[in-house]
Amino acid sequence: MEENSGLSSMKFFSDQHLSYADILRPHEARARIEVSVLNLLRILNSPDPAISDLSLINRKRSNSCINQGILTDVSYIFLSTSFTKSSLTNAKTAKAFVRVWKVMEICFQILLQEKRVTQRELFYKLLCDSPEYFSSQIEVNRSVQDVVALLRCSRYSLGIMASSRGLVAGRLFLQEPDKEAVDCSECGSSGFAISGDINLLDNTIMRSDARYIIVVEKHAIFHRLVEDRVFNHIPCVFITAKGYPDIATRFFLHRMSTTFPDLPILALVDWNPAGLAILCTFKFGSVGMGLEAYRYACNVKWIGLRGDDLNLIPQESLVPLKPKDSQIAKSLLSSKILQGNYRDELSLMVETGKRAEIEALYCHGYDYLGKYIATKIVQGKYI
Amino acid sequence: MEITDSVLKLLLQLVSSAFQRCRLAEDLCRLSVLLDQSTGNDPPITCISISDTGIGCNLKEFQDLRCPREFNGAKFWAILTMAYCDADGLLSVKTTCFSDDEVYCYHINLDESISNKRQKRQASQAKNGANFSGTEVSLSVFGSMDVLVAPITSFFQKMLVLQIPNVTMDLIVNQVENSPGTQTHYVFVVNAEKTPCFTASNLERLKSGLEDYVLRHRNCLDIMCEHCFSDREHLKVGSGTACSEENRKKTGGTMEVVIVISDLLETTRSCSRSCDGKTEVLYFDNFSPSPIPQAALSALKKIDWKSYGLVLASVNDQDGHVFLEWENFPSYVQIQIVLHWYHNQYPTRQRTEPGINLVKKGIKNSLNDLKAKHEGFLLSSHARKICSYVPDLARSIAGLIFSSTDIDFQGDCLSVLGFQPQEAERDAVEDYIQRKIVTVIGMNERKPQKDQEAAASFLFFEGDSETSYFEDEEIECEYYSTTLE
């Protein structure tokens, strides 16, 4: 018991070990790049010459820590101060080392021109410039994260715009600077696209009379709910990232949660490990983007689809877990941050070896979904 | 009847001794070998004379020589054609020093094992006040001299590698079978223009000598082969020394190693003598070409060639001639190695062979010297792979410097690199950065393994680093599409 209290008191100080990415203005980001160039050259041309290693914050689980919300009910994952080296003289990391410099070079040019590019655009530029080093989007993304880990500033500060997949619809008015307010309930069945420009999102004025914020995993479900104008029966705002959440959508959700702190945030995901993973990313953040995204954790609650809803769906709609699902489940279960009731749900999935999609509820009729959500809210059945 | 190897070996030993005498004279000397084949005999008899104008001979040299079988045969077939040719199986030795009043003459019976009976003093010849020193050794053997010419020539060609400037060697071959007889004269002289001066060290000479040897196709040509080589300057030469200390048990000695690597020209295909990619290893023992001892052979096998980017396929020892073969070796490159082991004091009664570690050390020092002088050369395949990334890295860094609008930053960078800010051109800067990085990679390779791990300082932070290599790890939760935002 004593040990536990000792550990729990340390929770107050966990943030001391937090590594974070600053949000910088273009000239500040350029200055950091310039400093790294100068340091490299100084050491290269010194009497005892060497090629400096790049000191990157370790983006591995071993360097991730949890901040258990003590005074708030938001917990998040963050990256601590353990570093990893990327060295030119090590054959394994040599190419990655060069990639970091190439990305820095391009970002430097982008910042000079005061432009913004998406990661996709960056990929094509790098593919033209240096095809031997960048063959896939993933390599570009990882190299960008390396630069973030090296310079300790957000991607946005480097001129890289998040391309957003997010959509929002419902009882919400958004007013971008110098523009007319947009009514998100009149945006048609596809909703309003969330901008990838985080700066813009930060300066958007939000007004709402909703009582709930509902995060929807899949686009199809979002579409159905919006088309049926469910947000008028249940005063709410629907948000989707159409799958795994991008940073802009997470930022938007976070902004909403701080602007409307009384609104509970409820998540509607498939009953499978991947769905829960998406929920957890909105809720806690991720190790992969830990430097930037720790800030955008929100207190998201799981409304459905859950284990105790399985009696609502036909047996046939329970399909076997895929191998990837099992992998995800295993990974989630080993995470320290996962709370007990989520673990129970996961364990049930693993034990039965089954999963189910939200669409299974349509067996009761296409408008059943709205009723389902309303019932759950009224019963307070969200965890 | 053929002259056998043991006769040849004896001959070369005598020539070698003559050479030592010339070398130690420190004055211009001549070493001549005369081969004379008498006609009319069957089997033929060859008279051989080795004369030099070096310091006088110390008869102790002859104590260890052994008599080849063929000498005895000649006793029964003696027909004297020339006055100095003695056909009764003995060595006839005439020698004198500067300070001597006479020329001393001896007969040395190699057959005789009892030492005080081996040499018999003969009547001396008067010098009549003349000041000279020298030695003449004569003998005759069974067999045709044709088989002697090539080995002796080869021996002299190798001797030129040592580049001892004061000794001129020649070989005179008299054929009196046809009338008028023919006389062929081969001269081996160190090129005075090209060689290091008289005061140069043995190692300097060895370097120069090996370069010549390579450029002139093992000294068969008089000048550099223009089909194969463009310029002496394009040779890459490394040299190394390792010494063993003198102590009670053994005399001190020095192991010198020189390695020459050449890039052959395209036109090398039209040259009949161009090499076949094998590396010849020459071995000298106390200023004399010698078959390679076992210790040196083992040392060659044990060197970690891989750390120099070379993969040894085989070591072939053909009668003391050693050739190394490499795997995946480019056809336009040639490597030549010479090892020279000598005692620090001469003459020395107790001759020892170098230890395997000493030889290894000498070879390693030579390889490291090559590597140090030519950045980006002899890198292990690991380092070469890294070096292939360096031009792109240099381009990025130069790009960063020159695309900046901050003049102070640009100025700082250029002055750190040693350029004048106003005059620096991007290509020159990029080139410089590239060369510097390659040099560092090469230097890093030469450090002992543990030092290589201790990394250069970090770019920004002196973090407690987990030295886990950055690996692309399946990041938790990122399971969706590959086009992450």
Side-chain angles (χ1 to χ4, degrees), chain B residues 200-217:
Chain B
S201 67
N202 286 327
L203 190 60
E204 284 299 312
R205 289 192 215 288
L206 195 63
K207 261 201 273 187
S208 176
L210 193 67
E211 285 171 20
D212 278 345
Y213 187 80
V214 166
L215 292 170
R216 297 200 222 153
H217 286 313

Side-chain angles (χ1 to χ4, degrees), chain A residues 39 45 53 58 84 90 119 133, chain B residues 392 416 432 455 468-469 485:
Chain A
N39 283 348
N45 218 33
D53 296 333
N58 208 338
T84 186
N90 179 335
Q119 279 195 173
Y133 293 93
Chain B
D392 295 309
V416 162
Y432 180 83
S468 57
Y469 299 126
E485 56 94 13

Side-chain angles (χ1 to χ4, degrees), chain B residues 182-457:
Chain B
T182 50
Q183 187 182 82
T184 321
H185 197 172
Y186 304 86
V187 182
F188 304 88
V189 62
V190 169
N191 187 338
E193 287 164 39
K194 295 269 177 61
T195 56
C197 68
F198 269 70
T199 51
S201 67
N202 286 327
L203 190 60
E204 284 299 312
R205 289 192 215 288
L206 195 63
K207 261 201 273 187
S208 176
L210 193 67
E211 285 171 20
D212 278 345
Y213 187 80
V214 166
L215 292 170
R216 297 200 222 153
H217 286 313
R218 301 180 180 153
N219 284 340
C220 294
L221 306 173
D222 287 331
I223 52 167
M224 177 176 89
C225 174
E226 283 174 7
H227 290 293
C228 298
F229 308 101
S230 60
D231 201 318
R232 196 190 186 98
E233 310 307 323
H234 282 96
L235 296 178
K236 296 185 176 61
V237 185
S239 62
T241 316
C243 298
S244 79
E245 293 295 310
E246 168 125 8
N247 61 28
R248 278 184 306 110
K249 291 186 195 164
K250 56 182 166 76
T251 39
T254 303
M255 183 82 210
E256 287 175 350
V257 180
V258 177
I259 301 180
V260 169
I261 303 186
S262 45
D263 285 330
L264 303 171
L265 295 176
E266 283 286 302
T267 46
T268 195
R269 270 173 250 128
S270 40
C271 175
S272 53
R273 294 175 200 269
S274 62
C275 80
D276 47 8
K278 292 192 197 165
T279 293
E280 187 189 11
V281 181
L282 292 173
Y283 189 84
F284 288 87
D285 181 293
N286 286 290
F287 299 93
S288 178
S290 131
I292 196 163
Q294 196 53 43
L297 208 58
S298 305
L300 284 168
K301 288 178 189 162
K302 289 205 171 145
I303 292 274
D304 181 19
W305 297 103
K306 279 207 179 121
S307 62
Y308 298 97
L310 295 166
V311 183
L312 186 64
S314 64
V315 178
N316 303 319
D317 183 358
Q318 297 158 347
D319 301 323
H321 283 108
V322 177
F323 289 92
L324 306 179
E325 279 185 72
W326 312 96
E327 268 174 44
N328 298 330
F329 200 64
S331 55
Y332 54 84
V333 178
Q334 188 188 340
I335 305 183
Q336 180 82 34
I337 303 178
V338 64
L339 308 171
H340 184 191
W341 161 250
Y342 58 91
H343 292 289
N344 299 329
Q345 288 170 3
Y346 186 88
T348 175
R349 184 69 188 147
Q350 184 197 20
R351 289 164 78 108
T352 53
E353 276 184 6
I356 185 173
N357 287 328
L358 194 74
V359 181
K360 269 179 75 177
K361 198 169 157 199
I363 298 174
K364 269 179 78 174
N365 287 346
S366 182
L367 285 165
N368 286 340
D369 182 46
L370 245 173
K371 215 164 153 166
K373 284 197 260 190
H374 302 277
E375 60 205 30
F377 202 68
L378 282 187
L379 293 173
S380 64
S381 57
H382 154 100
R384 250 180 296 146
K385 188 169 174 200
I386 295 176
C387 281
S388 63
Y389 304 142
V390 174
D392 295 309
L393 180 61
R395 198 176 318 127
S396 283
I397 296 175
L400 278 163
I401 298 174
F402 283 94
S403 55
S404 171
T405 51
D406 183 344
I407 306 292
D408 290 335
F409 165 67
Q410 259 192 19
D412 283 343
C413 288
L414 294 171
S415 57
V416 162
L417 293 174
F419 285 86
Q420 288 289 342
Q422 303 86 352
E423 296 160 7
E425 292 216 350
R426 180 170 171 161
D427 284 344
V429 174
E430 191 178 315
D431 206 54
Y432 180 83
I433 295 173
Q434 191 177 322
R435 279 187 291 119
K436 234 9 203 167
I437 297 179
V438 168
T439 311
V440 170
I441 292 173
M443 269 171 53
N444 209 41
E445 279 233 296
R446 291 197 293 282
K447 283 191 206 154
Q449 196 64 34
K450 54 177 165 53
D451 282 354
Q452 285 184 20
E453 286 301 311
S457 48

Side-chain angles (χ1 to χ4, degrees), chain A residues 222-239:
Chain A
F222 176 87
H223 192 271
R224 167 115 328 266
L225 291 166
V226 172
E227 199 172 81
D228 292 349
R229 301 181 76 80
V230 172
F231 49 77
N232 280 334
H233 312 311
I234 310 164
C236 68
V237 176
F238 289 113
I239 295 179

Side-chain angles (χ1 to χ4, degrees), chain A residues 49-292:
Chain A
I51 305 160
S52 325
D53 296 333
L54 298 174
S55 181
L56 314 169
I57 301 227
N58 208 338
R59 302 195 306 277
K60 284 192 182 172
R61 194 178 312 203
S62 49
N63 190 30
S64 71
C65 304
I66 297 160
N67 178 308
Q68 303 282 24
I70 299 168
L71 301 175
T72 71
D73 45 10
V74 176
S75 308
Y76 53 84
I77 293 174
F78 62 89
L79 290 181
S80 186
T81 48
S82 158
F83 288 82
T84 186
K85 272 190 305 175
S86 183
S87 169
L88 183 67
T89 48
N90 179 335
K92 284 189 213 171
T93 63
K95 225 170 171 184
F97 183 96
V98 180
R99 282 199 277 261
V100 169
W101 283 99
K102 293 233 162 262
V103 171
M104 275 208 282
E105 190 191 357
I106 297 233
C107 289
F108 195 72
Q109 287 162 1
I110 294 167
L111 290 168
L112 278 171
Q113 293 164 23
E114 301 210 342
K115 285 175 97 142
R116 300 223 170 280
V117 299
T118 63
Q119 279 195 173
R120 194 78 185 150
E121 286 172 313
L122 194 66
F123 168 53
Y124 278 105
K125 185 88 177 46
L126 289 164
L127 189 64
C128 289
D129 239 22
S130 323
E132 324 82 52
Y133 293 93
F134 297 98
S135 55
S136 69
Q137 183 72 52
I138 287 199
E139 275 181 345
V140 172
N141 296 348
R142 282 191 177 136
S143 301
V144 168
Q145 287 297 331
D146 282 349
V147 175
V148 166
L150 172 72
L151 301 177
R152 304 236 245 178
C153 68
S154 66
R155 278 176 292 174
Y156 190 77
S157 313
L158 293 171
I160 300 174
M161 195 168 62
S163 59
S164 170
R165 289 194 299 273
L167 298 169
V168 63
R171 304 185 71 85
L172 179 68
F173 279 85
L174 294 171
Q175 187 169 16
E176 288 173 16
D178 301 328
K179 285 225 182 110
E180 295 276 315
V182 171
D183 181 0
C184 296
S185 60
E186 297 301 331
C187 291
S189 52
S190 41
F192 180 74
I194 298 173
S195 165
D197 186 340
I198 293 185
N199 202 33
L200 184 65
L201 292 176
D202 211 14
N203 293 319
T204 301
I205 301 169
M206 295 177 174
R207 279 182 297 123
S208 175
D209 63 355
R211 302 283 296 285
Y212 310 97
I213 300 173
I214 301 182
V215 177
V216 183
E217 177 188 346
K218 296 191 299 200
H219 188 197
I221 307 293
F222 176 87
H223 192 271
R224 167 115 328 266
L225 291 166
V226 172
E227 199 172 81
D228 292 349
R229 301 181 76 80
V230 172
F231 49 77
N232 280 334
H233 312 311
I234 310 164
C236 68
V237 176
F238 289 113
I239 295 179
T240 183
K242 293 191 273 189
Y244 187 78
D246 56 275
I247 203 156
T249 309
R250 289 186 54 207
F251 178 87
F252 185 83
L253 181 67
H254 182 82
R255 182 92 216 285
M256 284 206 69
S257 71
T258 50
T259 311
F260 310 111
D262 297 328
L263 296 187
I265 304 175
L266 310 171
L268 187 63
V269 298
D270 284 343
W271 191 68
N272 64 19
L276 184 57
I278 287 172
L279 192 159
C280 288
T281 306
F282 274 113
K283 195 176 167 75
F284 304 124
S286 72
V287 170
M289 294 202 224
L291 272 169
E292 298 191 77

